[in-house]
Amino acid sequence: MVARVSTVAFQGIDGVPVEVQVMVAPGRVGTQIVGLPDKAVAESRERVHAALHASGLALPAKKVTVNLAPADLPKEGAHFDLPIALGLMAALGAIPADALSDYVVIGELNLDGTIAPVAGALPAAIGANAIGKGLICPAESGAEAAWAGPDIDILAPRSLIALANHFRGIQVLSRPEPSIRANTMSLPEMADIRGQESAKRALEVAAAGGHNLLMVGPPGSGKSMLAARLPSILPPLSAAELLEVSMIHSVAGQLSGGKLSDRRPFRTPHHSATMAALVGGGLRAKPGEASLAHHGVLFLDEFPEFAPQALDALRQPLETGECIIARANHRVTYPASIQLVAAMNPCRCGMAGEPGHSCARGPRCMTDYQARISGPLMDRIDIRIDVPAVSAVDLIRPMQAERSADIARRVASARDIQRSRFEAAGLAGLGTNARCSTAMIEKYAAPDSAGLQLLRDAAEKMKFSARGYHRVLKVARTLADLDGNETVGRIHLAEAISYRIAGERLTTAA
Ligand SMILES: Nc1ncnc2c1ncn2[C@@H]1O[C@H](COP(=O)(O)OP(=O)(O)OP(=O)(O)O)[C@@H](O)[C@H]1O
Ligand SMILES: [Mg+2]
């Protein structure tokens, strides 16, 4: 008899259905796993044997064949242990064979028969729900899987014995509850920043429209400090975004305790990060930092210190909103709709352009350093600002800065305006002006005549690329939204253009 158990193989954040077929037949004693298993899956034979033995189930002296169908789909990871073990138990009659037909199964086995947590429980549960099945997953992954829907049947046992007892009706498992992570840790506060009014304004604009931002300034001027305060003014994730973001974190195995959080991701990879760490990939395909920052912020501090190749790998995700990784025999796609925030010094010594400072290495210090960032990458940054050192007067003056909550309110209402505009156009998925298509932005950000004149002059004088032109329009649209204005005026365009000029110096260096 062949026992069949449904499971999944992950491709990107989708769970592709896989059927585990187990046959116990007379022949040479041993177990064989076929169907393109990787090393972890091939090793599952040893774990399954030990776990069944520990659970008191003796294997017969027969030949066991395990097939993972479809045979041409690569199977990666350790989550095939549990479906293989359950298939074997069903083939041996230790659990009723039809008990498993309504479930998709994932889980890793320990040698003592307990079930270890695995990555990807949430997408597996969503996939199972879509085909009208329930999910059997490890106890630790239950809370995360429960987010797939209120109706889906979830069994989250601690061990093989607990599951067998459930099927025999001796000890019934209760459905796990979805849990949300309490946002107990308070975020850094904008009011801590003295002075830097124009940088704070740029941060607010970037937050309101989801625009990419670059801050350039001498050491200690507060760039890292400013960026760390961006999460405190961003609106929380919507329900749909929350689920999308959590699916990626689930596949990456980064949902601690299976609890979801509605805070926007804020990822700060170190500048030694490799290309695979940033955009995903590696031996076993995993989402990179760009995907983990989906619907949130990817903050690259000390921007030019990143490997140029790794930075340029971000060009495609910044444009399309997804990371596509080519593997030997297939392609994997992870969503990566991100807002890039970067900070850098103007040169290696960090003091270029500072009054009263002269560098021994002259202008080369600056050009060499800035040339590490390619022109096309720079072209994708909508808002570029200089962050000069704060004066002592600003630091000594008593604090009366605006608090994060007040700024967050303005950001939220600007985002509401954008959302309702996109919903009216039937594009509810688009959240921010930054994500808007070029045809749409030309329609929604059509400036008045004075604005048009200014834009024409500036585009001619500064030789905007087509992308640059559209990005100026997008920022101008956000500025008008922050003002609550229906039309984009000259004042909005002037500010948007000023954000682009600040970085023009950098583009010429690159
Ligand atoms: N505007 C400011 N208001 C209050 N404190 C500030 C301000 N700017 C800088 N500081 C203080 O200086 C410290 C260093 O700032 P920060 O690390 O943000 O500098 P940076 O611009 O990122 O420098 P680097 O280029 O060396 O990375 C902060 O932790 C803070 O204590
Ligand atoms: Mg810094």
Side-chain angles (χ1 to χ4, degrees):
M1 191 196 86
V2 178
R4 294 166 194 275
V5 182
S6 300
T7 181
V8 288
F10 293 105
Q11 278 207 328
I13 57 165
D14 301 321
V16 182
V18 168
E19 188 180 70
V20 177
Q21 304 163 353
V22 183
M23 188 165 86
V24 180
R28 221 175 71 203
V29 179
T31 302
Q32 201 174 19
I33 300 178
V34 295
L36 278 193
D38 81 340
K39 187 104 173 79
V41 182
E43 284 176 350
S44 96
R45 181 176 54 194
E46 307 304 327
R47 289 191 295 272
V48 169
H49 277 196
L52 288 179
H53 180 75
S55 310
L57 191 76
L59 285 179
K62 287 186 176 172
K63 179 179 172 191
V64 177
T65 311
V66 178
N67 179 33
L68 308 173
D72 59 350
L73 180 77
K75 323 288 185 311
E76 291 177 340
H79 66 272
F80 293 98
D81 290 3
L82 188 59
I84 292 174
L86 293 186
L88 199 49
M89 284 166 84
L92 297 173
I95 50 174
D98 59 350
L100 296 171
S101 59
D102 290 335
Y103 293 98
V104 167
V105 185
I106 57 165
E108 182 183 327
L109 285 175
N110 292 320
L111 297 185
D112 60 359
T114 52
I115 304 174
V118 288
L122 180 58
I126 289 174
N129 200 21
I131 53 172
K133 291 194 177 191
L135 182 78
I136 299 177
C137 66
E140 282 90 341
S141 313
E144 168 187 336
W147 278 95
D151 307 325
I152 173 172
D153 184 8
I154 293 170
L155 298 179
R158 297 215 163 269
S159 64
L160 279 178
I161 296 179
L163 188 63
N165 286 345
H166 173 83
F167 284 134
R168 287 198 211 108
I170 301 171
Q171 184 190 29
V172 176
L173 293 165
S174 58
R175 186 184 192 278
E177 288 299 320
S179 52
I180 197 141
R181 199 182 327 148
N183 291 334
T184 44
M185 236 182 36
S186 61
L187 294 167
E189 171 61 49
M190 282 291 264
D192 299 346
I193 301 170
R194 316 264 175 121
Q196 300 295 18
E197 294 309 324
S198 55
K200 281 193 225 170
R201 162 79 175 166
L203 210 59
E204 178 180 338
V205 177
H211 301 289
N212 300 333
L213 169 73
L214 172 66
M215 293 180 276
V216 187
S221 61
K223 302 177 296 296
S224 307
M225 191 178 177
L226 278 157
R229 278 148 186 81
L230 180 56
S232 70
I233 60 169
L234 286 171
L237 292 166
S238 70
E241 287 172 339
L242 172 76
L243 213 56
E244 240 179 88
V245 169
S246 305
M247 294 237 288
I248 302 171
H249 285 241
S250 171
V251 167
Q254 297 215 356
L255 275 184
S256 54
K259 290 182 180 163
L260 275 55
S261 165
D262 67 351
R263 270 197 189 153
R264 274 179 201 275
F266 184 78
R267 306 289 303 188
T268 54
H270 188 252
H271 55 74
S272 60
T274 61
M275 195 161 96
L278 275 188
V279 298
L283 189 58
R284 292 223 197 108
K286 275 260 181 316
E289 290 291 335
S291 295
L292 292 169
H294 184 52
H295 287 315
V297 177
L298 179 68
F299 175 46
L300 303 183
D301 208 354
E302 322 301 349
F303 202 31
E305 302 291 344
F306 281 81
Q309 224 187 354
L311 283 186
D312 277 332
L314 286 175
R315 280 163 57 178
Q316 180 236 355
L318 281 176
E319 208 66 0
T320 61
E322 53 186 24
C323 296
I324 302 173
I325 303 150
R327 319 271 341 259
N329 42 12
H330 62 291
R331 276 175 10 148
V332 183
T333 310
Y334 295 110
S337 175
I338 50 168
Q339 177 181 4
L340 176 71
V341 175
M344 64 184 276
N345 300 125
C347 64
R348 177 151 292 287
C349 65
M351 304 303 283
E354 284 299 290
H357 178 84
S358 70
C359 173
R361 291 187 57 226
R364 293 227 40 186
C365 183
M366 187 161 103
T367 41
D368 286 358
Y369 196 60
Q370 294 181 359
R372 296 174 64 111
I373 312 224
S374 73
L377 182 61
M378 198 58 94
D379 200 34
R380 284 161 171 76
I381 297 179
D382 315 316
I383 303 180
R384 309 150 184 185
I385 50 162
D386 284 320
V387 183
V390 243
S391 63
V393 181
D394 271 334
L395 286 174
I396 295 165
R397 200 187 294 162
M399 288 242 286
Q400 40 173 295
E402 212 176 358
R403 300 196 65 79
S404 291
D406 300 325
I407 305 174
R409 255 192 295 281
R410 289 199 296 270
V411 169
S413 69
R415 285 220 179 184
D416 283 343
I417 295 173
Q418 296 166 50
R419 195 175 315 112
S420 43
R421 184 186 306 130
F422 296 136
E423 270 167 17
L427 292 158
L430 273 181
T432 55
N433 288 332
R435 287 267 141 241
C436 192
S437 73
T438 50
M440 282 183 64
I441 201 66
E442 279 180 4
K443 181 171 156 209
Y444 292 123
D448 58 16
S449 57
L452 201 61
Q453 186 59 40
L454 178 70
L455 183 60
R456 197 176 297 137
D457 292 348
E460 234 160 65
K461 202 178 255 159
M462 294 168 52
K463 309 237 174 329
F464 283 158
S465 66
R467 184 191 289 121
Y469 173 84
H470 286 122
R471 287 188 176 238
V472 165
L473 279 181
K474 287 179 186 178
V475 176
R477 181 65 262 171
T478 302
L479 289 165
D481 288 340
L482 273 170
D483 277 355
N485 273 17
E486 195 59 43
T487 46
V488 173
R490 187 182 166 88
I491 182 169
H492 305 127
L493 276 162
E495 190 175 342
I497 292 166
S498 78
Y499 289 139
R500 215 164 169 90
I501 298 177
E504 224 34 44
R505 216 184 52 212
L506 297 170
T507 331
T508 36

